[in-house]
């Protein structure tokens, strides 16, 4: 049988995308659509006293102006998590369609529905909002203080959630004589996903139901949220997800689908489109949580860990979105990555008057790795120990089992990945060579590892459904609820289907669009889950389809099923290998049989109660121009163990993208706010410095393939891991080059200027 | 779709002047990379526009009979960079405008638009200041010439009078002859960025390449408008070429520049970068002029 | 609020080799006209202020962000979009094929713009270094690929067109 899995086959959507024919949200929207445009708050915190819409309504072309006083008083959750029937495990419902209590600069106050975008924009500018201003707070620890502005009524001191981890006895263990204490505070910034297609959607009513076509990663979840937000039975809502221009977690939230659907309902079900501008995407969608982390380690001179403490403060912004899940994931990685018998961890998720933070590629791990892996190098400095050797000594060993998730490290992943990466970079030689430099321009090498786990079990439900429908010619369509967002899952799935059913790849047709009316249930693209989770339902459904096919083959050939096989689209007699008939002939005969007509299909749901570690590392080489305060990233190497590669070329491409995001995170990206007003300062692609073609070295990728035993295809997470370790690797390379330990990212020239001055490297 | 009240499209310079007089409140639009962006932001929403986009007569680079280099105001950045006259006489200008935004912006953006919007960070501006460029303005009374320093009045405001449009940027022969320069754009990324600081230095050396006959330096974003650092220039003039001179020259620029604190960069940081950039640009200019340091 | 005086103008231009004319609202951008009047879905909207490059088209052989280019300015120009690269039987051009082969496409939203800039680069007939190619392609933002495979695709096609071996 010709195996498809493991080959770098061409993306199934490559032609459509290379020709511009692939249809995205706006390509599908009728040109008759009314345009909805949001009036955002121009204060960071306060109450809307009144909204004067008279001038806006007078703008020619305006159909309707709706304000926070018109919107239903329904609070709904937006996070792209599977729903829980247990009220204690449900996402926090703190969002309304429009808000009288505005909680960040950019909150939704009113919405205009007009005949065209110019009229809509004019009307938004003509709306006069009167506010009662309240004090606001942007800093996470300031927000926790007594007397800080109260952002959400339900949360004392703005603390949305706190959780902890305790192992052994930290207080007792740190009394051991001879320990070296290393302490650090590490800050990570608010950043944004910057998918090139902004979020947008359009809504219309059909047969008394609400249809929303949206640029989303999670159509089935959005259907539930639209139902909740509008008070509609969920069956009255239909969500369609076409091709989307990237998501990276931002579109793993219900964004403006509920508001757009409500606008549609307010104009009698007419077609209404709501597209975010780039400026809105930055502020009024979701951002990555800025997290401040405090770590204290007590280390023995031989480099073993005696006791460790971690405190993490996660800046949630104005609304709960994904909430505490992000910082909790990072905190839980801490005691696992470098096992230590005595650990005390606490994490807080805190409301502030910033944009709402939600999911973003890595889900708390880029923040945790920047803090944790920077701290490891700080320990190495204190101990005068090589960063590589310290990690070799202390990283999670093979055979480690986590008590909660039951995850096991089945292979010697960390050593294998580091071995490969250090060879690719020639790390040892360079590390020696770069000791004791004193010129204005210096070079350095650094490394960082990362911890990641696949999917969301056992925190939440993991399930996936798949449907396969055999055509008369022996080809088949398959559908899952899991979504193609650019990462290539449609292609990987097609490869899996071809092998599991026993048909050539060319006979497998993926239904790329998810339509909640016809697509089997699946929760969508997040948690680097799809290749792993989808693999279970694909394998299970393929086996069911094969069983049906072979049963029909038995009817048609009179051979017992036990002597039949389906190989490359042919029914084969196993005993002598003879091809009895093609699958196409079988399918045609089956469908049109006057005796026993059957449409051969299969549909199953797989619930998955396992999870898989997916680890790797980054190695960086930098050149630091000290007088110019500039870092030139010379090389970046990522090595991953994501199990068996389904499609090596697409896997490598995925890693490139994550590395690129990590470079921006490490060196340049930060959404900034005016301390005096809370207004975002750089919410556009010119002032927000996401890396360009000229800000990258060649990106170097390696893989170590230890097949994951819990997956039917030996695979595990790869979508998010590449974004997790690049920034601390760059930070540690700068430390190696200059001896200066930077405690925050992005490491911009401004940061370097201050730090180099402190260190006496710059004397103005 | 843009929120514009009306669009008037000039067919000639004369026509443009007439339209300017007929619609004094209208905004002139050249390439569009600034005006249309501001219109989208709402800042110029509802404005009337006079488009001079079709005026090929003020596109291109040529030499006037007296040897003056003439750059038509509608010449795009990419055309300036590729122009043989620019490459021969003022290569640094081609290099500077080759660092504006990205390639598409350099195809759309014009040197006239870049100077008329009066922004201190414009990549062309510091080099034009450092080379004593002259702005040619055509209005109802005919053609008027003005030094680029005087053309910039304050941040965002240039001396464009009633009925006028800018038709050329001129560099005299005295200014470019035997002169070599270097521009350093200091920005937060290597493309698609605006300058945190722009530094343009040029020198003319003695025939034996041992002495600085003239040194000029101008900065963008070191003040509300692009500015020259005259004290440093005077210090360097007539001095022997040396690394010490480069250092002194660079330190002296602090006498004349006045960068401000903003969220984009702090004043002390900009000052530090200005000194370091001046030094490096001076050294590179001397090297290009054939001097040895 | 004062109503804009409706102003329409007929624009004559050459689109992908064909002479066309359309009467458009003078307020329309070239992106608006190409998407709405010609249904050219390859012209994407990513920022509408010239910062991302998704709406890139070739005008008289040079790359322009069509979002900050007025539709009426197309008068008399030769405009090319990605749709114009395709062969009569739907064959991909060499550069499109290279994007496919090098896995340079992920979400696909930046791809059309990138490919058109690559066309301008390739049609210059010149050989560029990696650093030069990076600069020539730097007017486009991509969040999926880290630009790596895009560089490979353009480089490979450049060498192929120049009749040279791709250096290792």
């Amino acid at each position: 049988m010709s195996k498809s899995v493991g080959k770098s086959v061409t993306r199934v959507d490559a032609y459509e995308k290379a020709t511009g024919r692939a249809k995205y949200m706006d390509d599908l929207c009728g040109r008759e659509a009314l345009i909805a445009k949001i009036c955002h708050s121009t204060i960071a915190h306060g109450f809307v006293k009144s909204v004067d819409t008279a001038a806006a309504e007078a703008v020619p072309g305006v159909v309707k102006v709706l304000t926070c006083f018109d919107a239903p008083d329904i609070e709904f959750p937006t996070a792209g998590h599977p729903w829980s029937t247990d009220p204690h495990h449900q996402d926090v419902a703190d969002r309304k369609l429009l808000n009288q209590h505005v909680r960040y600069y950019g909150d939704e106050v009113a919405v205009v529905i007009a005949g065209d975008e110019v009229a809509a924009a004019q009307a938004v500018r003509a709306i006069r909002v009167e506010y009662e201003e309240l004090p606001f707070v942007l800093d996470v620890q300031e927000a926790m203080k007594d007397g800080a502005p109260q952002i959400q009524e339900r949360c004392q001191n703005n603390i949305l959630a706190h959780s902890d981890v305790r192992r052994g006895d930290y207080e007792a263990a740190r009394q051991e004589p001879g320990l070296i204490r290393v302490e650090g505070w590490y800050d990570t910034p608010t950043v944004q996903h910057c998918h090139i297609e902004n979020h947008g959607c359009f809504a219309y009513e059909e047969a008394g139901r609400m249809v929303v076509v949206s640029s989303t990663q999670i159509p089935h979840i959005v259907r539930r949220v639209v139902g909740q937000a509008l008070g509609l039975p969920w069956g009255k809502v239909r969500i369609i997800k076409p091709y989307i221009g990237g998501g990276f977690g931002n579109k793993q939230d219900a964004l403006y689908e509920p508001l757009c659907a409500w606008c549609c309902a307010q104009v009698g079900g007419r077609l209404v489109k709501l597209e975010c501008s780039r400026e809105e995407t930055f502020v009024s969608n979701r951002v990555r949580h800025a997290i401040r982390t405090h770590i204290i380690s007590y280390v023995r001179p031989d480099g073993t860990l005696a006791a460790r403490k971690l405190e993490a403060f996660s800046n949630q912004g104005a609304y709960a979105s994904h909430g505490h899940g992000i910082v909790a994931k990072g905190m839980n990685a801490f005691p696992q990555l470098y096992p230590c018998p005595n650990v005390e961890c606490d994490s807080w998720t805190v409301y502030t008057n910033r944009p709402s933070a939600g999911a973003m590629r890595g889900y708390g791990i880029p923040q945790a790795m920047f803090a944790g892996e920077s701290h490891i190098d700080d320990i190495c400095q204190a101990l005068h120990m090589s960063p590589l050797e310290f990690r070799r000594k202390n990283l999670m060993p093979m055979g480690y089992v986590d008590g909660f998730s039951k995850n096991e490290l089945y292979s010697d992943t960390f050593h294998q990945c580091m071995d490969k990466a250090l060879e690719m970079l020639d790390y040892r030689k360079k590390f020696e060579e770069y000791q004791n430099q004193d010129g204005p321009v210096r070079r350095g090498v650094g490394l960082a590892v990362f911890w990641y786990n696949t999917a969301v079990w056992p925190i939440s439900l993991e399930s996936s459904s798949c449907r396969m429908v055999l055509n008369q010619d022996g080809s088949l369509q398959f559908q899952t609820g899991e979504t193609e967002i650019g990462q290539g899952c449609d292609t990987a799935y097609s490869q899996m289907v071809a092998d599991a059913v026993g048909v050539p790849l060319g006979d497998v047709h993926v239904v790329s669009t998810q339509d909640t009316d016809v697509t089997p249930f699946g929760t969508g693209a997040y948690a680097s889950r799809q290749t792993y989770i989808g693999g279970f339902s694909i394998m299970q459904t393929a086996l069911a389809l094969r069983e049906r096919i072979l049963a029909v083959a038995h009817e048609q050939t009179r051979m017992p099923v036990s002597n039949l096989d389906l190989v490359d689209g042919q029914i084969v007699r196993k005993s002598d290998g003879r091809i009895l008939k093609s699958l196409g002939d079988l399918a045609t005969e089956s469908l049109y049989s006057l005796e026993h007509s059957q449409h051969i299909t299969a549909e199953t749901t797989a619930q998955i109660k396992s999870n898989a570690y997916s680890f790797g590392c980054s190695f960086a080489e930098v050149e630091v121009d000290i007088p110019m305060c500039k870092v030139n990233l010379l090389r970046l190497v990522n090595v991953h163990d994501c199990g068996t590669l389904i499609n090596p070329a697409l896997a490598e491409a995925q890693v490139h993208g994550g590395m690129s995001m990590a470079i921006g995170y490490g060196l340049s990206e930060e959404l900034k706010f005016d301390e005096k007003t809370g207004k975002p300062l750089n919410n556009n692609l010119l002032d927000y410095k996401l890396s360009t073609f000229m800000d990258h070295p060649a990106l170097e990728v390696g893989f170590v393939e230890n097949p994951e035993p819990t997956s039917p295809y030996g695979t595990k997470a790869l979508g998010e891991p590449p974004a997790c370790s690049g920034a601390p690797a760059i930070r540690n390379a700068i430390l190696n080059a200059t001896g200066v330990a930077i405690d925050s990212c992005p490491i911009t020239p401004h940061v370097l200027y201050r730090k180099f001055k402190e260190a006496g490297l710059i004397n103005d | 779709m843009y929120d514009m009240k009306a669009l008037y499209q000039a067919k000639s310079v004369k026509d443009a002047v007439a339209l300017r007089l007929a619609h004094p409140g209208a905004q002139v639009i050249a390439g569009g990379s600034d005006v249309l962006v501001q219109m989208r932001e709402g800042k110029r929403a509802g404005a009337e526009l006079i488009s001079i986009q079709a005026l090929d007569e003020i596109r291109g680079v040529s030499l006037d009979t007296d040897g003056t280099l003439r750059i038509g105001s509608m010449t795009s950045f990419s055309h300036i960079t590729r122009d043989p006259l620019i490459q021969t006489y003022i290569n640094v200008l081609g290099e500077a405008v080759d660092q504006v935004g990205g390639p598409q912006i350099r195809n759309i953006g014009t040197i006239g638009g870049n100077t008329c919007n009066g922004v201190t960070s414009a990549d062309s501006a510091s080099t034009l200041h450092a080379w004593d460029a002259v702005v040619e303005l055509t209005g109802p009374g005919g053609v008027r010439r003005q030094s680029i320093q005087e053309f910039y009045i304050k941040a965002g405001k240039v001396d464009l009078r009633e009925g006028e449009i800018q038709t050329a940027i001129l560099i005299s022969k005295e200014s470019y002859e035997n002169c070599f320069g270097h521009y350093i754009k200091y920005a937060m990324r290597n493309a698609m960025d605006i300058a945190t600081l722009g530094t343009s230095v040029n020198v003319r050396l003695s025939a034996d390449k041992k002495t600085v006959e003239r040194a000029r330096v101008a900065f963008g974003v070191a003040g509300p408008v692009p500015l020259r650092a005259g004290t440093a220039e005077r210090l360097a003039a007539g001095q022997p070429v040396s690394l010490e001179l480069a250092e002194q020259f660079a330190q002296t620029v602090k006498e004349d520049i006045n960068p401000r604190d903003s969220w984009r960069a702090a004043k002390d940081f900009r000052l530090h970068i200005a000194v370091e950039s001046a030094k490096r640009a001076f050294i590179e200019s001397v090297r290009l002029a054939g001097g040895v340091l | 609020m004062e109503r804009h005086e409706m102003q329409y103008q007929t624009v004559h231009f050459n689109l992908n080799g064909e002479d066309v004319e359309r009467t458009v609202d003078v307020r329309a951008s070239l992106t608006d006209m190409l998407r709405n009047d010609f249904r050219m879905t390859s012209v994407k909207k990513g920022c509408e202020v010239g910062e991302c490059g998704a709406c890139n088209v070739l005008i008289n052989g040079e790359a322009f962000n069509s979002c900050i280019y007025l539709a009426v300015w197309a008068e008399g120009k030769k405009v090319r979009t990605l749709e114009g690269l395709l062969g009569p039987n739907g064959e991909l051009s060499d550069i499109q094929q290279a994007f496919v082969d090098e896995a340079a496409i992920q979400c696909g939203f930046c791809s059309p713009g990138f490919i058109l800039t690559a066309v301008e680069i390739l049609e210059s007939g010149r050989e560029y270094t990696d650093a030069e190619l990076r600069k020539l392609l730097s007017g486009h933002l991509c969040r999926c690929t880290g630009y790596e495979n895009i560089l490979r695709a353009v480089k490979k096609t450049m060498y192929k067109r120049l009749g040279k071996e791709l250096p290792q």
Side-chain angles (χ1 to χ4, degrees), chain A residues 348-367:
Chain A
W348 291 268
T349 295
V350 185
Y351 285 117
T352 68
N353 297 106
R354 288 196 189 205
S356 304
M360 181 171 169
R361 196 176 199 171
Y363 213 78
I365 301 303
Q367 296 96 317

Side-chain angles (χ1 to χ4, degrees), chain B residues 1-9 29-33 36-37 40-41 48-49 51 53-54 76 78-79 82 95 98-99 101-108 189-192, chain C residues 2-5 7 9 25-29 32 47-54 56 62-65 67-70 72-73 77 113 117 120 135-141:
Chain B
M1 203 125 78
Y2 286 98
D3 184 2
M4 75 178 75
K5 193 174 165 208
L7 178 71
Y8 311 106
Q9 297 185 77
I29 178 169
S33 55
L36 291 178
V37 171
R40 175 87 60 197
E41 280 169 358
E48 296 173 290
L49 298 182
S51 167
Q53 207 268 348
S76 68
S78 58
H79 286 213
R82 287 199 294 264
E95 288 163 7
D98 198 32
Q99 295 176 57
Q104 298 100 300
I105 299 298
R106 297 194 284 270
N107 285 337
I108 209 167
R189 55 185 179 187
N190 296 320
M192 301 299 277
Chain C
E2 194 181 356
R3 173 115 204 188
H4 132 94
E5 316 157 21
Q7 216 184 321
Q9 194 176 315
D25 190 323
V26 295
R27 304 176 301 169
S29 68
D32 292 332
C47 71
E48 297 191 76
V49 286
E51 289 159 4
C52 77
N56 182 42
E62 293 182 1
F64 283 82
N65 291 324
C67 69
I68 49 171
Y69 193 94
L70 294 178
V72 295
W73 287 348
K77 304 278 195 322
T117 286
E120 186 190 347
K135 184 168 185 184
L136 289 165
L137 291 160
S138 67
H140 298 270
L141 295 175

Side-chain angles (χ1 to χ4, degrees), chain C:
Chain C
M1 176 97 12
E2 194 181 356
R3 173 115 204 188
H4 132 94
E5 316 157 21
M6 281 302 194
Q7 216 184 321
Y8 290 90
Q9 194 176 315
T10 302
V11 193
H12 313 76
F13 65 111
N14 184 285
L15 180 59
N16 295 326
E18 194 184 332
D19 289 330
V20 295
E21 60 170 63
R22 280 293 185 285
T23 300
V24 295
D25 190 323
V26 295
R27 304 176 301 169
S29 68
L30 182 57
T31 306
D32 292 332
M33 178 168 73
L34 292 172
R35 285 186 61 81
N36 298 338
D37 297 295
F38 293 92
R39 303 307 303 229
M40 299 226 149
T41 53
S42 76
V43 185
K44 309 286 192 210
K45 295 187 289 180
C47 71
E48 297 191 76
V49 286
E51 289 159 4
C52 77
C55 64
N56 182 42
V57 300
L58 297 181
I59 301 174
N60 291 352
E62 293 182 1
F64 283 82
N65 291 324
S66 62
C67 69
I68 49 171
Y69 193 94
L70 294 178
V72 295
W73 287 348
E75 177 67 35
K77 304 278 195 322
K78 283 191 163 67
V79 177
R80 288 164 73 191
T81 69
L82 191 66
E83 283 81 355
L85 294 187
L86 219 53
N89 300 309
E91 307 93 329
L92 295 178
S93 61
D94 56 355
I95 183 64
Q96 289 169 298
Q97 189 63 49
F99 268 67
V100 171
D101 293 342
E102 295 300 315
I105 297 171
Q106 291 192 37
C107 84
F109 211 75
C110 72
S111 310
F114 260 117
I115 292 171
L116 285 169
T117 286
V119 167
E120 186 190 347
I121 293 168
L122 295 167
E123 289 182 353
S124 76
R126 288 183 48 196
E127 182 175 340
Y128 298 98
T129 63
D130 282 8
E132 287 169 336
L133 286 176
R134 283 183 184 276
K135 184 168 185 184
L136 289 165
L137 291 160
S138 67
H140 298 270
L141 295 175
C142 170
R143 198 57 148 170
C144 298
T145 65
Y147 310 104
E148 187 65 30
N149 289 349
I150 294 173
L151 182 70
R152 291 181 196 173
V154 176
K155 203 169 144 180
K156 180 175 145 180
T157 313
M158 176 181 77
Y159 280 105
K160 211 167 151 188
R161 286 206 193 176
L162 292 170
K164 293 188 181 178
E165 286 287 306
L166 183 70
Q168 286 310 306

Side-chain angles (χ1 to χ4, degrees), chain B residues 71-212:
Chain B
I71 308 165
S73 292
M74 282 302 294
T75 314
S76 68
F77 298 126
S78 58
H79 286 213
I80 289 173
T81 301
R82 287 199 294 264
D83 190 272
L85 291 170
I86 296 286
Q87 289 174 2
T88 306
Y89 297 116
I90 181 169
N91 198 29
V92 56
L93 180 63
E95 288 163 7
V97 300
D98 198 32
Q99 295 176 57
V100 175
Q104 298 100 300
I105 299 298
R106 297 194 284 270
N107 285 337
I108 209 167
T110 63
I111 194 152
N114 204 223
T115 46
C116 280
N117 67 25
V119 176
T120 185
S121 58
D123 283 306
S124 66
S126 45
T127 297
L128 294 178
H129 277 70
W131 290 67
D132 292 306
V134 170
V135 179
E136 182 192 89
L137 301 137
T138 304
V143 172
R144 175 169 79 86
R145 289 184 176 187
Q146 190 176 36
S147 78
I148 188 128
Q149 279 88 349
E150 286 167 10
F151 183 64
Y152 279 76
I153 296 170
K154 60 179 186 180
K157 174 101 178 114
V158 293
D159 187 10
L160 199 59
R161 299 176 194 167
E162 194 183 353
E164 280 185 343
I165 64 162
Q166 193 206 89
T167 42
I169 301 278
L170 310 170
I171 314 279
S172 74
K173 190 171 180 181
E174 197 281 324
S175 177
Y176 67 72
E177 213 168 29
N178 298 320
C179 186
F180 297 85
H182 186 64
Y183 175 69
I184 294 177
K185 175 174 184 166
Y186 194 91
M188 294 301 136
R189 55 185 179 187
N190 296 320
M192 301 299 277
D193 212 342
I194 49 172
T196 308
L197 190 89
T199 307
S200 193
V201 174
N202 60 80
V203 300
R204 194 171 65 206
L205 300 185
S206 58
D208 64 359
K209 314 287 184 199
K210 300 269 196 234
T211 308
V212 175

